[in-house]
Amino acid sequence: MSTAMTKVVQSSRTSRIAGLVAIVLILALLSAAGWADRGTLSLLMEFFCYLALAEMWNLLAGFAGIVSLGQQAFLGLGGYALFFAALRLGWNPLEAFLLAGVAGAIIAVPSALVVFRLHGAYLAIGTWVLAEVLRLIFSEVPSLGAGSGISLPVKFAKSVHLGGMHRDAVLYLAALALALITILASYLLLRSQRGLALTAIRDNELGARSSGVRIFSVKLMVFAATGLGTGFTGALLYLAKLRISPLAAFDVNWTSYMIFMVVIGGVGTLEGPIVGTLVYFILRQYLADLGSWYLIILGVVAVTVMLRLPMGIWGTVARKYDISLFPTRRRVLFDQDKPTTPGVAASSAETTA
Amino acid sequence: MPTRREFVKASTAAALWAVGCRKKTSANRVVKIGYVGPFSGSLAAFTEPDAFVLGRIRRAIAGGLVINGQLHPVEIIGKDSRSDPNRAAEVASELIQRSNVDILVTAHTPETVSPVSDQAEINEVPCVTTDAPWQPYFFGRGGKADEGFDWTYHFFWGADQLVDVYTNMWDTVETNRVVGALWGNDNDGNAFGDPVTGFPPVFAARGFKLVDSGRFQLDINDFSSQIGAFKRANVEILTGVLPPPGFATFWSQAAQQGFRPKVVTIAKALLFPAAVESIGPRGDKLTTEVWWSPHHPFRSTLTGQNAAELCADYMRETAKPWTPPLGFKHALFDVAIDVLKRVKDIDSPESIIEAVRATNTSTVVGQVAWRGKPVRNVCTTPLVGGQWVRGEDGRYSLKIVNNKHAEEIPVETGLQPIDYSGA
């Protein structure tokens, strides 16, 4: 085969149609702030927060190969930063919210210096330890309620508004923006040269290093960016919950839910977490009243999907029909209009994503 | 010729009627009570009597309630907090925003009550709660004594009453008056150990010397340092607030390390008979506060039953021993129904909360009325001291041993120090 005839592309007809559909969907979701009732808005707000969390965990584990069990560290930190700014600094909600994200990113950098010395399962435990350390530290801060936790003043929560819009609508728009920015940023990152570097690291760190990828700086960038985003999400979630305590904020279940959504949907694709978050919310909506059985069912679903569909729901569908709504993989075209099958591509030039 | 005053009255009434018509139609609509409880998870034992209590309440209101002359069916919607404060806030907001409940009720520990109350306060939904000491409920939510909350009301006892009951009990036993404290780093431990609003100032005033081992993390399983500190200070009275597994661990380590206090008075861990039985013979003569028992001489407005009759029915129908949450859960719905009966306009949350404020009703846990003491949103219920006594068959029963704090509740026997002669 002659290399002169080949061409590397990322987009496809499906992805261009998907782009159009996405724009229409986004416009519809934006307009929901005007017409949906408060119950729907707060459910959607939670949905987009969880989606953002799932996408960020997916970026870490599915693309950068950083399997973190400690993302609740940044979530809790974001929540606590918001409460600290509101209660002790007297800041307004927007300023407090910005501080929360920044706090997540700032703590991510020194944490990365420590946990990146570990690999694989050890790194997972290391990140969990980080979250536990933060939990213990916040349990010893009396001005933030120590182990008891603390409530956000009603006045502060009520001051969340935007041009006459109700608090629920503002929180919903913020969550929607957070989810969209997360997906868009991941998409752009993965299509960039750094994205290629990331997947190279995930697939074979030694190989990537020998090809000249600056592993540490690429991983650090992703870790700090997800720290920022998770911090923002934590602030938003606890602005809605109104009360924070160390056990709730640094609960490892936050990360369990992220993993559940990503694994169910399909790790290593941008579409997977969307499917996974939908599945999670549908299960929760209909089964949450079953108490402990609900958690058992979640576990059974997770195990079944892992055994039967190791690539997740989206991963399986995408492979079967060769579709990709947010194409981040590089596909090699040998003829102008004939994309290769993935198997052939893998043997030639493709970097799987 | 109508006077100006009459004209204003009539036009206001017409305006109000017009406003009323625009809202959800009020005639015979279903009135909804939202209830959040820890049905599963670590606090599930608290909701064991729920099926029984809710069954009774639903039967009592099966024909609906007459609210301001209109008959309304009443629906109680229960949601599980899974003993998780995150989830408690989520389901409370769901009940408020999706189910549009008219009144919210919840109970069992600050971890359930506080997040639910916070959601009610910001969404301006009337909320009645119980079963959490009132200091963490009120101060832990940022409450200020002169302001209080607008939408959330609570009835239960507080740390101030608890320390009074404890010291009353200890006064009846010959000891060196040295008290060792096991207060964890959680809502209850921080509230009880608070140097200003907690136990320490009362201990000092009543002549007890305090040995405080510091706020520990509740998941620790090695109490050697606390036990060492208590032994060095020659502690003869032990107090604290711990979950049942934590206390069981502490108490077996105390035995191994030869720590033998004469009186042990623990909150939370010794609430349920099953928890005491799991300690074995060393559960004998342990003491705790009693928030409710068949001996409490109070009657429910809704069913007309008193505490003894309610307990007897419960034990007959479920074949389980009575527990204090039984009485408080019953009282919680008693109050909610009483409030709804007195509401002037069921479609107005303001009118409902007005009815909450005006409450003065008898329940199986005592009279519930918010009269501004100790703070606007809290009504306290009586508290006495009790001791677990092990029978010949190894079964435990809780005897009321001190009623100095609430003399209307009769004492069954005197407090006995722990007997180590067999150990």
Side-chain angles (χ1 to χ4, degrees):
Chain A
M1 85 186 61
S2 145
T3 46
M5 292 291 289
T6 63
K7 186 178 161 199
V8 179
V9 297
Q10 291 187 307
S11 62
S12 67
R13 213 171 69 131
T14 335
S15 75
R16 285 188 289 272
I17 295 171
L20 279 176
V21 174
I23 289 170
V24 174
L25 191 66
I26 290 167
L27 288 177
L29 285 171
L30 280 175
S31 75
W35 52 261
D37 65 73
R38 291 175 56 204
T40 313
L41 283 180
S42 48
L43 183 69
L44 284 174
M45 182 227 126
E46 227 189 317
F47 176 84
F48 285 111
C49 281
Y50 277 64
L51 176 59
L53 291 175
E55 287 287 357
M56 283 183 281
W57 194 82
N58 182 42
L59 187 65
L60 283 177
F63 292 103
I66 305 166
V67 180
S68 165
L69 278 180
Q71 288 310 98
Q72 69 275 19
F74 305 106
L75 190 138
L77 200 68
Y80 265 105
L82 178 93
F83 277 58
F84 176 72
L87 288 161
R88 300 285 156 242
L89 305 178
W91 290 10
N92 69 35
L94 182 67
E95 293 165 343
F97 181 66
L98 292 177
L99 176 76
V102 173
I106 288 178
I107 296 296
V109 175
S111 324
L113 297 178
V114 180
V115 296
F116 283 2
R117 291 166 170 269
L118 309 167
H119 293 274
Y122 300 98
L123 183 138
I125 300 300
T127 50
W128 192 355
V129 169
L130 169 73
E132 288 296 292
V133 168
L134 284 175
R135 174 174 74 83
L136 291 172
I137 291 174
F138 279 97
S139 303
E140 298 299 330
V141 183
S143 65
L144 288 172
S148 315
I150 197 160
S151 293
L152 203 58
V154 167
K155 254 186 252 155
F156 177 86
K158 282 198 172 161
S159 68
V160 177
H161 57 76
L162 192 78
M165 227 188 286
H166 191 269
R167 187 173 58 93
D168 296 313
V170 179
L171 292 186
Y172 160 69
L173 286 180
L176 177 64
L178 206 56
L180 291 178
I181 291 170
T182 307
I183 295 175
L184 187 70
S186 311
Y187 179 61
L188 294 178
L189 171 72
L190 293 171
R191 285 175 69 110
S192 73
Q193 196 191 357
R194 293 207 156 197
L196 199 59
L198 268 183
T199 42
I201 295 171
R202 182 201 57 187
D203 292 341
N204 189 333
E205 195 165 320
L206 197 63
R209 190 190 307 223
S210 60
S211 311
V213 174
R214 300 222 312 269
I215 290 175
F216 188 82
S217 73
V218 173
K219 274 178 142 183
L220 181 67
M221 185 195 69
V222 173
F223 199 65
T226 52
L228 179 86
T230 311
F232 277 134
T233 318
L236 210 52
L237 281 165
Y238 279 98
L239 186 53
K241 288 193 196 301
L242 303 172
R243 185 175 175 81
I244 198 164
S245 63
L247 277 175
F250 298 102
D251 188 347
V252 72
N253 274 334
W254 284 116
T255 301
S256 324
Y257 291 135
M258 295 178 211
I259 297 176
F260 179 86
M261 292 182 285
V262 173
V263 167
I264 293 291
V267 66
T269 61
L270 288 179
E271 300 90 338
I274 302 179
V275 175
T277 312
L278 274 172
V279 171
Y280 171 70
F281 269 76
I282 291 169
L283 288 175
R284 201 183 80 172
Q285 230 34 41
Y286 290 99
L287 304 176
D289 289 338
L290 301 180
S292 307
W293 282 105
Y294 159 70
L295 296 174
I296 293 170
I297 293 170
L298 281 192
V300 170
V301 170
V303 171
T304 313
V305 170
M306 277 189 255
L307 290 177
R308 295 267 151 202
L309 309 170
M311 295 162 73
I313 297 172
W314 180 262
T316 310
V317 172
R319 162 163 273 198
K320 191 158 179 201
Y321 300 103
D322 191 28
I323 42 173
S324 179
L325 304 182
F326 302 115
T328 52
R329 328 160 56 160
R330 288 160 179 77
R331 300 144 59 93
V332 184
L333 295 189
F334 292 93
D335 267 341
Q336 272 305 314
D337 291 308
K338 238 165 72 193
T340 58
T341 56
V344 177
S347 65
S348 52
E350 192 194 45
T351 304
T352 53
Chain B
M1 184 77 187
T3 63
R4 196 179 65 96
R5 185 175 294 237
E6 274 166 5
F7 173 75
V8 170
K9 255 183 169 172
S11 55
T12 316
L16 284 178
W17 181 79
V19 169
C21 283
R22 273 196 294 110
K23 293 207 305 199
K24 43 191 172 185
T25 48
S26 111
N28 310 110
R29 75 168 175 90
V30 176
V31 171
K32 293 176 181 168
I33 303 176
Y35 163 51
V36 180
F39 307 153
S40 59
S42 57
L43 303 173
F46 282 91
T47 55
E48 204 181 73
D50 274 19
F52 170 84
V53 171
L54 285 172
R56 298 225 134 189
I57 301 288
R58 286 194 173 117
R59 224 176 306 147
I61 57 169
L65 282 182
V66 177
I67 300 170
N68 196 24
Q70 293 264 13
L71 184 71
H72 291 271
V74 179
E75 187 187 353
I76 301 172
I77 309 173
K79 288 271 177 194
D80 184 6
S81 73
R82 294 207 294 266
S83 308
D84 171 0
N86 282 327
R87 186 67 190 155
E90 277 168 28
V91 292
S93 134
E94 250 179 72
L95 284 170
I96 293 169
Q97 300 185 335
R98 294 182 72 80
S99 308
N100 292 310
V101 296
D102 297 286
I103 185 168
L104 204 55
V105 297
T106 187
H108 312 312
T109 79
E111 281 74 18
T112 319
V113 171
S114 293
V116 173
S117 299
D118 283 343
Q119 290 294 328
E121 188 69 27
I122 186 147
N123 288 299
E124 307 187 347
V125 172
C127 177
V128 177
T129 55
T130 189
D131 188 1
W134 71 261
Q135 285 87 350
Y137 163 83
F138 189 80
F139 299 117
R141 290 173 55 217
K144 298 197 176 58
D146 48 342
E147 284 176 29
F149 301 107
D150 292 329
W151 296 93
T152 48
Y153 285 79
H154 185 72
F155 63 94
F156 204 59
W157 45 265
D160 49 337
Q161 292 168 278
L162 193 65
V163 68
D164 192 40
V165 167
Y166 282 6
T167 46
N168 286 342
M169 278 199 280
W170 300 340
D171 277 341
T172 64
V173 185
E174 190 67 35
T175 64
N176 62 3
R177 298 179 86 80
V178 178
V179 181
L182 277 176
W183 291 316
N185 187 358
D186 68 348
N187 276 293
D188 296 325
N190 286 319
F192 296 176
D194 190 283
V196 182
T197 59
F199 290 9
V202 181
F203 285 171
R206 310 231 348 205
F208 290 95
K209 182 172 173 276
L210 172 66
V211 182
D212 185 352
S213 59
R215 302 297 85 79
F216 55 90
Q217 291 298 320
L218 280 130
D219 49 8
I220 63 167
N221 46 28
D222 179 7
F223 289 93
S224 303
S225 75
Q226 283 87 348
I227 293 169
F230 295 156
K231 279 174 72 178
R232 273 193 302 281
N234 195 20
V235 164
E236 289 192 355
I237 302 170
L238 176 77
T239 190
V241 53
L242 295 178
F247 176 72
T249 308
F250 172 86
W251 196 223
S252 64
Q253 288 175 6
Q256 287 156 8
Q257 297 174 32
F259 172 51
R260 294 177 167 188
K262 287 182 178 163
V263 182
V264 175
T265 311
I266 302 288
K268 203 186 232 170
L270 304 177
L271 181 60
F272 298 110
V276 181
E277 270 154 28
S278 74
I279 299 172
R282 283 182 43 83
D284 194 28
K285 306 286 189 291
L286 298 180
T287 51
T288 187
E289 72 282 0
V290 182
W291 358 317
W292 189 72
S293 76
H295 310 289
H296 281 52
F298 308 117
R299 213 167 263 284
S300 156
T301 311
L302 184 65
T303 64
Q305 277 196 320
N306 68 15
E309 289 159 356
L310 181 65
C311 284
D313 278 4
Y314 178 72
M315 292 196 283
R316 197 180 55 244
E317 283 180 32
T318 64
K320 284 175 191 153
W322 63 270
T323 59
L326 167 65
F328 276 82
K329 183 61 59 62
H330 195 282
L332 181 65
F333 284 98
D334 222 339
V335 171
I337 305 284
D338 174 74
V339 165
L340 288 177
K341 281 181 183 162
R342 290 181 286 104
V343 170
K344 296 271 184 327
D345 173 10
I346 189 65
D347 292 329
S348 149
E350 284 81 10
S351 177
I352 300 176
I353 201 71
E354 214 170 277
V356 171
R357 280 192 212 110
T359 302
N360 187 358
T361 188
S362 167
T363 73
V364 287
V365 304
Q367 196 72 13
V368 175
W370 286 279
R371 297 202 177 94
K373 277 200 171 167
V375 289
R376 202 177 112 185
N377 306 81
V378 174
C379 158
T380 54
T381 55
L383 193 64
V384 289
Q387 182 162 43
W388 287 101
V389 180
R390 192 167 190 257
E392 298 281 307
D393 56 355
R395 309 291 290 182
Y396 279 97
S397 54
L398 183 59
K399 303 280 182 212
I400 293 173
V401 294
N402 192 297
N403 70 347
K404 216 175 148 199
H405 185 79
E407 285 174 349
E408 65 271 33
I409 300 158
V411 165
E412 293 171 87
T413 166
L415 176 67
Q416 295 169 298
I418 298 174
D419 179 12
Y420 291 99
S421 58

